[in-house]
Amino acid sequence: MLYVIRGRRGVSEVLGAIVIAVLVLGMSASYILLEMERSERETFSLIDLIRRAERRQKILLSLIYYQVNDGQLEVYIYNFGDVSVTPVKILTDVEVDLFEIYDSSVNNGGLPLNEIPSETLVKLVLPVPSTDTFSFVLVTEEGGIFVWEMML
């Protein structure tokens, strides 16, 4: 009888070691899979950041002229960049909800636009700010932020 108990104890030690080994290997495998997935996500987000930064570097807007005409502020901006730019927000002394973009080139003068094409002069029309001195901030869909100080 003593011999049977001793034999079972040896089996349970081996079985316990196998169970522990399987648990450790399973946990290690799941940790490795989670880390691989996380690193892939970080790699793709890093690639997206680099692409967005490259696109922002191709954007070059320059304020050419501004004037008040018929109670509206007309701002002339030239896009020297290689890509078209889509303005999403304009801030003066307040956030401007309504603004219009027109092509100011000789051939297509006055046509309404949704974006500022590359190598094109455009006219932005918006309400006149309530202060004489203000910062004109143009935020683009591509992540560009352009700031010009203006005095009326």
Side-chain angles (χ1 to χ4, degrees), residues 9-65:
R9 193 171 9 163
V11 171
S12 69
E13 288 176 359
V14 171
L15 187 60
I18 290 172
V19 168
I20 289 174
V22 168
L23 285 174
V24 168
L25 289 175
M27 291 174 62
S28 299
S30 55
Y31 176 76
I32 289 171
L33 290 173
L34 286 172
E35 285 300 313
M36 285 175 50
E37 179 185 332
R38 187 178 65 93
S39 69
E40 284 179 15
R41 275 188 278 135
E42 287 180 2
T43 302
F44 287 129
S45 64
L46 184 61
I47 290 171
D48 290 341
L49 285 173
I50 292 170
R51 286 184 182 149
R52 276 190 245 134
E54 285 176 347
R55 183 162 168 81
R56 274 196 309 266
Q57 287 178 347
K58 294 180 180 180
I59 298 171
L60 181 57
L61 299 180
S62 180
L63 175 67
I64 303 299
Y65 181 72

Side-chain angles (χ1 to χ4, degrees), residues 32-105:
I32 289 171
L33 290 173
L34 286 172
E35 285 300 313
M36 285 175 50
E37 179 185 332
R38 187 178 65 93
S39 69
E40 284 179 15
R41 275 188 278 135
E42 287 180 2
T43 302
F44 287 129
S45 64
L46 184 61
I47 290 171
D48 290 341
L49 285 173
I50 292 170
R51 286 184 182 149
R52 276 190 245 134
E54 285 176 347
R55 183 162 168 81
R56 274 196 309 266
Q57 287 178 347
K58 294 180 180 180
I59 298 171
L60 181 57
L61 299 180
S62 180
L63 175 67
I64 303 299
Y65 181 72
Y66 62 94
Q67 67 180 2
V68 175
N69 190 8
D70 293 331
Q72 298 286 320
L73 177 63
E74 296 177 350
V75 180
Y76 293 86
I77 295 177
Y78 191 84
N79 184 359
F80 286 98
D82 297 333
V83 295
S84 297
V85 178
T86 306
V88 291
K89 188 183 291 186
I90 293 179
L91 305 167
T92 53
D93 55 345
V94 294
E95 183 174 342
V96 177
D97 294 327
L98 297 172
F99 59 91
E100 299 169 352
I101 306 171
Y102 296 101
D103 190 342
S104 290
S105 65

